[in-house]
mmCIF file of all heavy atoms in Angstrom:
data_model
loop_
_atom_site.group_PDB
_atom_site.id
_atom_site.type_symbol
_atom_site.label_atom_id
_atom_site.label_comp_id
_atom_site.label_asym_id
_atom_site.label_seq_id
_atom_site.Cartn_x
_atom_site.Cartn_y
_atom_site.Cartn_z
ATOM 1 N N ILE A 1 0.834 -1.170 0.002
ATOM 2 C CA ILE A 1 -0.022 -0.004 -0.011
ATOM 3 C C ILE A 1 0.885 1.212 0.018
ATOM 4 O O ILE A 1 2.021 1.208 0.457
ATOM 5 C CB ILE A 1 -0.981 0.025 1.189
ATOM 6 C CG1 ILE A 1 -0.234 0.000 2.521
ATOM 7 C CG2 ILE A 1 -1.935 -1.151 1.115
ATOM 8 C CD1 ILE A 1 -1.123 0.284 3.733
ATOM 9 N N ASP A 2 0.373 2.354 -0.512
ATOM 10 C CA ASP A 2 1.145 3.553 -0.697
ATOM 11 C C ASP A 2 1.821 4.026 0.597
ATOM 12 O O ASP A 2 3.013 4.474 0.491
ATOM 13 C CB ASP A 2 0.317 4.616 -1.310
ATOM 14 C CG ASP A 2 -0.050 4.401 -2.775
ATOM 15 O OD1 ASP A 2 0.675 3.555 -3.404
ATOM 16 O OD2 ASP A 2 -0.934 5.031 -3.273
ATOM 17 N N PRO A 3 1.184 4.023 1.754
ATOM 18 C CA PRO A 3 1.861 4.600 2.917
ATOM 19 C C PRO A 3 3.129 3.888 3.352
ATOM 20 O O PRO A 3 3.978 4.505 4.037
ATOM 21 C CB PRO A 3 0.809 4.440 4.032
ATOM 22 C CG PRO A 3 -0.499 4.435 3.321
ATOM 23 C CD PRO A 3 -0.190 3.693 2.034
ATOM 24 N N VAL A 4 3.354 2.655 2.908
ATOM 25 C CA VAL A 4 4.553 1.932 3.309
ATOM 26 C C VAL A 4 5.525 1.684 2.130
ATOM 27 O O VAL A 4 6.642 1.228 2.331
ATOM 28 C CB VAL A 4 4.240 0.563 3.987
ATOM 29 C CG1 VAL A 4 3.226 0.745 5.116
ATOM 30 C CG2 VAL A 4 3.718 -0.458 2.955
ATOM 31 N N LYS A 5 5.060 1.981 0.954
ATOM 32 C CA LYS A 5 5.884 1.770 -0.239
ATOM 33 C C LYS A 5 7.157 2.558 -0.137
ATOM 34 O O LYS A 5 7.201 3.747 0.132
ATOM 35 C CB LYS A 5 5.109 2.152 -1.489
ATOM 36 C CG LYS A 5 5.707 1.644 -2.798
ATOM 37 C CD LYS A 5 4.726 1.858 -3.950
ATOM 38 C CE LYS A 5 3.446 1.066 -3.793
ATOM 39 N NZ LYS A 5 2.519 1.254 -4.954
ATOM 40 N N GLY A 6 8.290 1.887 -0.426
ATOM 41 C CA GLY A 6 9.599 2.515 -0.344
ATOM 42 C C GLY A 6 10.224 2.469 1.001
ATOM 43 O O GLY A 6 11.416 2.747 1.169
ATOM 44 N N ARG A 7 9.447 2.101 2.045
ATOM 45 C CA ARG A 7 9.961 2.013 3.419
ATOM 46 C C ARG A 7 9.990 0.573 3.935
ATOM 47 O O ARG A 7 10.850 0.210 4.689
ATOM 48 C CB ARG A 7 9.136 2.870 4.375
ATOM 49 C CG ARG A 7 9.179 4.353 4.035
ATOM 50 C CD ARG A 7 8.486 5.179 5.126
ATOM 51 N NE ARG A 7 7.049 4.866 5.243
ATOM 52 C CZ ARG A 7 6.508 4.419 6.374
ATOM 53 N NH1 ARG A 7 7.237 4.221 7.488
ATOM 54 N NH2 ARG A 7 5.214 4.178 6.402
ATOM 55 N N PHE A 8 8.954 -0.204 3.521
ATOM 56 C CA PHE A 8 8.848 -1.592 4.006
ATOM 57 C C PHE A 8 9.199 -2.523 2.870
ATOM 58 O O PHE A 8 8.946 -2.262 1.707
ATOM 59 C CB PHE A 8 7.430 -1.887 4.450
ATOM 60 C CG PHE A 8 6.948 -1.155 5.669
ATOM 61 C CD1 PHE A 8 7.712 -0.179 6.287
ATOM 62 C CD2 PHE A 8 5.733 -1.511 6.283
ATOM 63 C CE1 PHE A 8 7.301 0.487 7.417
ATOM 64 C CE2 PHE A 8 5.282 -0.844 7.419
ATOM 65 C CZ PHE A 8 6.052 0.138 8.002
ATOM 66 N N THR A 9 9.761 -3.665 3.246
ATOM 67 C CA THR A 9 10.104 -4.710 2.246
ATOM 68 C C THR A 9 9.649 -6.075 2.767
ATOM 69 O O THR A 9 10.085 -6.516 3.867
ATOM 70 C CB THR A 9 11.617 -4.753 1.982
ATOM 71 O OG1 THR A 9 12.052 -3.503 1.516
ATOM 72 C CG2 THR A 9 11.892 -5.780 0.919
ATOM 73 N N ILE A 10 8.802 -6.748 2.039
ATOM 74 C CA ILE A 10 8.377 -8.065 2.354
ATOM 75 C C ILE A 10 9.273 -9.056 1.640
ATOM 76 O O ILE A 10 9.679 -8.881 0.517
ATOM 77 C CB ILE A 10 6.885 -8.281 1.990
ATOM 78 C CG1 ILE A 10 6.354 -9.613 2.553
ATOM 79 C CG2 ILE A 10 6.668 -8.184 0.459
ATOM 80 C CD1 ILE A 10 4.836 -9.778 2.402
ATOM 81 N N SER A 11 9.537 -10.187 2.326
ATOM 82 C CA SER A 11 10.354 -11.229 1.705
ATOM 83 C C SER A 11 9.943 -12.564 2.275
ATOM 84 O O SER A 11 9.228 -12.651 3.284
ATOM 85 C CB SER A 11 11.858 -10.959 1.914
ATOM 86 O OG SER A 11 12.182 -10.963 3.294
ATOM 87 N N ARG A 12 10.441 -13.642 1.646
ATOM 88 C CA ARG A 12 10.176 -14.973 2.155
ATOM 89 C C ARG A 12 11.346 -15.846 1.943
ATOM 90 O O ARG A 12 12.149 -15.694 1.006
ATOM 91 C CB ARG A 12 8.908 -15.568 1.439
ATOM 92 C CG ARG A 12 9.125 -15.759 -0.095
ATOM 93 C CD ARG A 12 7.813 -16.040 -0.752
ATOM 94 N NE ARG A 12 7.250 -17.344 -0.331
ATOM 95 C CZ ARG A 12 5.959 -17.663 -0.391
ATOM 96 N NH1 ARG A 12 5.074 -16.797 -0.865
ATOM 97 N NH2 ARG A 12 5.557 -18.854 0.008
ATOM 98 N N ASP A 13 11.527 -16.833 2.824
ATOM 99 C CA ASP A 13 12.595 -17.831 2.753
ATOM 100 C C ASP A 13 11.875 -19.179 2.891
ATOM 101 O O ASP A 13 11.668 -19.638 4.024
ATOM 102 C CB ASP A 13 13.644 -17.609 3.773
ATOM 103 C CG ASP A 13 14.852 -18.536 3.599
ATOM 104 O OD1 ASP A 13 14.748 -19.606 2.996
ATOM 105 O OD2 ASP A 13 15.945 -18.131 4.057
ATOM 106 N N ASN A 14 11.563 -19.798 1.796
ATOM 107 C CA ASN A 14 10.824 -21.057 1.827
ATOM 108 C C ASN A 14 11.596 -22.173 2.515
ATOM 109 O O ASN A 14 11.036 -23.001 3.174
ATOM 110 C CB ASN A 14 10.408 -21.495 0.449
ATOM 111 C CG ASN A 14 9.347 -20.575 -0.156
ATOM 112 O OD1 ASN A 14 8.759 -19.762 0.522
ATOM 113 N ND2 ASN A 14 9.083 -20.741 -1.469
ATOM 114 N N ALA A 15 12.915 -22.147 2.374
ATOM 115 C CA ALA A 15 13.759 -23.166 2.969
ATOM 116 C C ALA A 15 13.670 -23.092 4.523
ATOM 117 O O ALA A 15 13.785 -24.076 5.210
ATOM 118 C CB ALA A 15 15.193 -23.064 2.498
ATOM 119 N N LYS A 16 13.531 -21.900 5.055
ATOM 120 C CA LYS A 16 13.398 -21.689 6.474
ATOM 121 C C LYS A 16 11.964 -21.620 6.943
ATOM 122 O O LYS A 16 11.679 -21.417 8.131
ATOM 123 C CB LYS A 16 14.154 -20.395 6.905
ATOM 124 C CG LYS A 16 15.631 -20.460 6.660
ATOM 125 C CD LYS A 16 16.298 -19.178 7.115
ATOM 126 C CE LYS A 16 17.802 -19.218 6.935
ATOM 127 N NZ LYS A 16 18.450 -17.970 7.347
ATOM 128 N N ASN A 17 11.006 -21.719 5.984
ATOM 129 C CA ASN A 17 9.612 -21.621 6.328
ATOM 130 C C ASN A 17 9.228 -20.379 7.059
ATOM 131 O O ASN A 17 8.453 -20.370 7.982
ATOM 132 C CB ASN A 17 9.135 -22.856 7.128
ATOM 133 C CG ASN A 17 8.125 -23.698 6.389
ATOM 134 O OD1 ASN A 17 8.111 -23.820 5.166
ATOM 135 N ND2 ASN A 17 7.156 -24.256 7.181
ATOM 136 N N THR A 18 9.833 -19.255 6.635
ATOM 137 C CA THR A 18 9.734 -17.986 7.327
ATOM 138 C C THR A 18 9.513 -16.854 6.376
ATOM 139 O O THR A 18 10.081 -16.811 5.289
ATOM 140 C CB THR A 18 10.991 -17.711 8.173
ATOM 141 O OG1 THR A 18 11.157 -18.823 9.096
ATOM 142 C CG2 THR A 18 10.806 -16.436 8.956
ATOM 143 N N ALA A 19 8.652 -15.914 6.740
ATOM 144 C CA ALA A 19 8.406 -14.676 6.034
ATOM 145 C C ALA A 19 8.923 -13.515 6.866
ATOM 146 O O ALA A 19 8.988 -13.621 8.109
ATOM 147 C CB ALA A 19 6.951 -14.472 5.661
ATOM 148 N N TYR A 20 9.248 -12.399 6.199
ATOM 149 C CA TYR A 20 9.799 -11.277 6.908
ATOM 150 C C TYR A 20 9.171 -9.974 6.428
ATOM 151 O O TYR A 20 8.684 -9.888 5.311
ATOM 152 C CB TYR A 20 11.282 -11.149 6.637
ATOM 153 C CG TYR A 20 12.110 -12.377 6.999
ATOM 154 C CD1 TYR A 20 12.346 -13.355 6.017
ATOM 155 C CD2 TYR A 20 12.534 -12.611 8.284
ATOM 156 C CE1 TYR A 20 13.085 -14.518 6.323
ATOM 157 C CE2 TYR A 20 13.256 -13.750 8.620
ATOM 158 C CZ TYR A 20 13.499 -14.678 7.608
ATOM 159 O OH TYR A 20 14.226 -15.830 7.943
ATOM 160 N N LEU A 21 9.206 -8.992 7.310
ATOM 161 C CA LEU A 21 8.833 -7.636 6.913
ATOM 162 C C LEU A 21 9.882 -6.684 7.495
ATOM 163 O O LEU A 21 9.955 -6.490 8.724
ATOM 164 C CB LEU A 21 7.473 -7.233 7.447
ATOM 165 C CG LEU A 21 6.979 -5.862 6.990
ATOM 166 C CD1 LEU A 21 6.708 -5.818 5.485
ATOM 167 C CD2 LEU A 21 5.731 -5.438 7.787
ATOM 168 N N GLN A 22 10.746 -6.153 6.626
ATOM 169 C CA GLN A 22 11.703 -5.155 7.020
ATOM 170 C C GLN A 22 11.074 -3.779 6.998
ATOM 171 O O GLN A 22 10.568 -3.374 5.923
ATOM 172 C CB GLN A 22 12.949 -5.203 6.110
ATOM 173 C CG GLN A 22 14.000 -4.190 6.427
ATOM 174 C CD GLN A 22 14.686 -4.466 7.781
ATOM 175 O OE1 GLN A 22 15.064 -5.611 8.043
ATOM 176 N NE2 GLN A 22 14.830 -3.424 8.584
ATOM 177 N N MET A 23 11.082 -3.069 8.101
ATOM 178 C CA MET A 23 10.429 -1.782 8.207
ATOM 179 C C MET A 23 11.498 -0.747 8.534
ATOM 180 O O MET A 23 12.105 -0.782 9.564
ATOM 181 C CB MET A 23 9.362 -1.790 9.278
ATOM 182 C CG MET A 23 8.310 -2.880 9.098
ATOM 183 S SD MET A 23 6.922 -2.748 10.256
ATOM 184 C CE MET A 23 7.804 -3.089 11.786
ATOM 185 N N ASN A 24 11.684 0.198 7.578
ATOM 186 C CA ASN A 24 12.643 1.274 7.745
ATOM 187 C C ASN A 24 11.936 2.611 7.743
ATOM 188 O O ASN A 24 10.773 2.726 7.242
ATOM 189 C CB ASN A 24 13.674 1.251 6.609
ATOM 190 C CG ASN A 24 14.477 -0.008 6.582
ATOM 191 O OD1 ASN A 24 14.834 -0.617 7.589
ATOM 192 N ND2 ASN A 24 14.855 -0.440 5.377
ATOM 193 N N GLY A 25 12.570 3.613 8.273
ATOM 194 C CA GLY A 25 11.987 4.954 8.310
ATOM 195 C C GLY A 25 10.633 4.983 8.995
ATOM 196 O O GLY A 25 9.701 5.613 8.497
ATOM 197 N N LEU A 26 10.528 4.306 10.131
ATOM 198 C CA LEU A 26 9.245 4.164 10.819
ATOM 199 C C LEU A 26 8.706 5.526 11.257
ATOM 200 O O LEU A 26 9.488 6.415 11.681
ATOM 201 C CB LEU A 26 9.340 3.215 11.967
ATOM 202 C CG LEU A 26 9.382 1.719 11.532
ATOM 203 C CD1 LEU A 26 9.963 0.888 12.696
ATOM 204 C CD2 LEU A 26 8.012 1.272 11.127
ATOM 205 N N LYS A 27 7.390 5.659 11.185
ATOM 206 C CA LYS A 27 6.701 6.858 11.595
ATOM 207 C C LYS A 27 5.705 6.548 12.675
ATOM 208 O O LYS A 27 5.252 5.401 12.767
ATOM 209 C CB LYS A 27 5.959 7.442 10.376
ATOM 210 C CG LYS A 27 6.824 7.731 9.159
ATOM 211 C CD LYS A 27 5.967 8.166 7.981
ATOM 212 C CE LYS A 27 6.867 8.432 6.787
ATOM 213 N NZ LYS A 27 6.005 8.858 5.601
ATOM 214 N N PRO A 28 5.327 7.523 13.502
ATOM 215 C CA PRO A 28 4.353 7.264 14.558
ATOM 216 C C PRO A 28 3.044 6.681 14.016
ATOM 217 O O PRO A 28 2.415 5.843 14.695
ATOM 218 C CB PRO A 28 4.086 8.665 15.166
ATOM 219 C CG PRO A 28 5.399 9.330 14.983
ATOM 220 C CD PRO A 28 5.897 8.893 13.628
ATOM 221 N N GLU A 29 2.649 7.049 12.825
ATOM 222 C CA GLU A 29 1.404 6.503 12.240
ATOM 223 C C GLU A 29 1.508 5.031 11.865
ATOM 224 O O GLU A 29 0.543 4.410 11.498
ATOM 225 C CB GLU A 29 0.964 7.326 11.060
ATOM 226 C CG GLU A 29 2.010 7.577 9.996
ATOM 227 C CD GLU A 29 2.715 8.938 10.176
ATOM 228 O OE1 GLU A 29 3.022 9.312 11.324
ATOM 229 O OE2 GLU A 29 2.914 9.626 9.156
ATOM 230 N N ASP A 30 2.726 4.436 11.930
ATOM 231 C CA ASP A 30 2.886 3.028 11.700
ATOM 232 C C ASP A 30 2.584 2.218 12.959
ATOM 233 O O ASP A 30 2.556 0.968 12.877
ATOM 234 C CB ASP A 30 4.340 2.717 11.280
ATOM 235 C CG ASP A 30 4.687 3.294 9.942
ATOM 236 O OD1 ASP A 30 3.855 3.285 9.017
ATOM 237 O OD2 ASP A 30 5.834 3.791 9.795
ATOM 238 N N THR A 31 2.344 2.875 14.059
ATOM 239 C CA THR A 31 2.024 2.164 15.309
ATOM 240 C C THR A 31 0.777 1.311 15.144
ATOM 241 O O THR A 31 -0.294 1.823 14.769
ATOM 242 C CB THR A 31 1.852 3.170 16.484
ATOM 243 O OG1 THR A 31 3.082 3.829 16.702
ATOM 244 C CG2 THR A 31 1.405 2.437 17.750
ATOM 245 N N ALA A 32 0.887 0.014 15.413
ATOM 246 C CA ALA A 32 -0.219 -0.902 15.220
ATOM 247 C C ALA A 32 0.201 -2.297 15.694
ATOM 248 O O ALA A 32 1.393 -2.525 15.970
ATOM 249 C CB ALA A 32 -0.652 -0.953 13.742
#
């Protein structure tokens, strides 16, 4: 979604059965 585009990165590692969300440049409105 636009509010996180360019700041957040989603990724997956199927071998580790794990997904990730890297969140950079966090803002107070990201609180949730």
Side-chain angles (χ1 to χ4, degrees):
I1 60 171
D2 287 343
V4 309
K5 193 170 297 182
R7 299 188 296 121
F8 292 8
T9 303
I10 189 171
S11 62
R12 62 192 295 157
D13 188 335
N14 290 348
K16 295 181 179 179
N17 242 35
T18 302
Y20 305 94
L21 184 69
Q22 179 67 46
M23 304 187 295
N24 299 325
L26 284 163
K27 304 175 180 179
E29 51 263 44
D30 294 320
T31 296

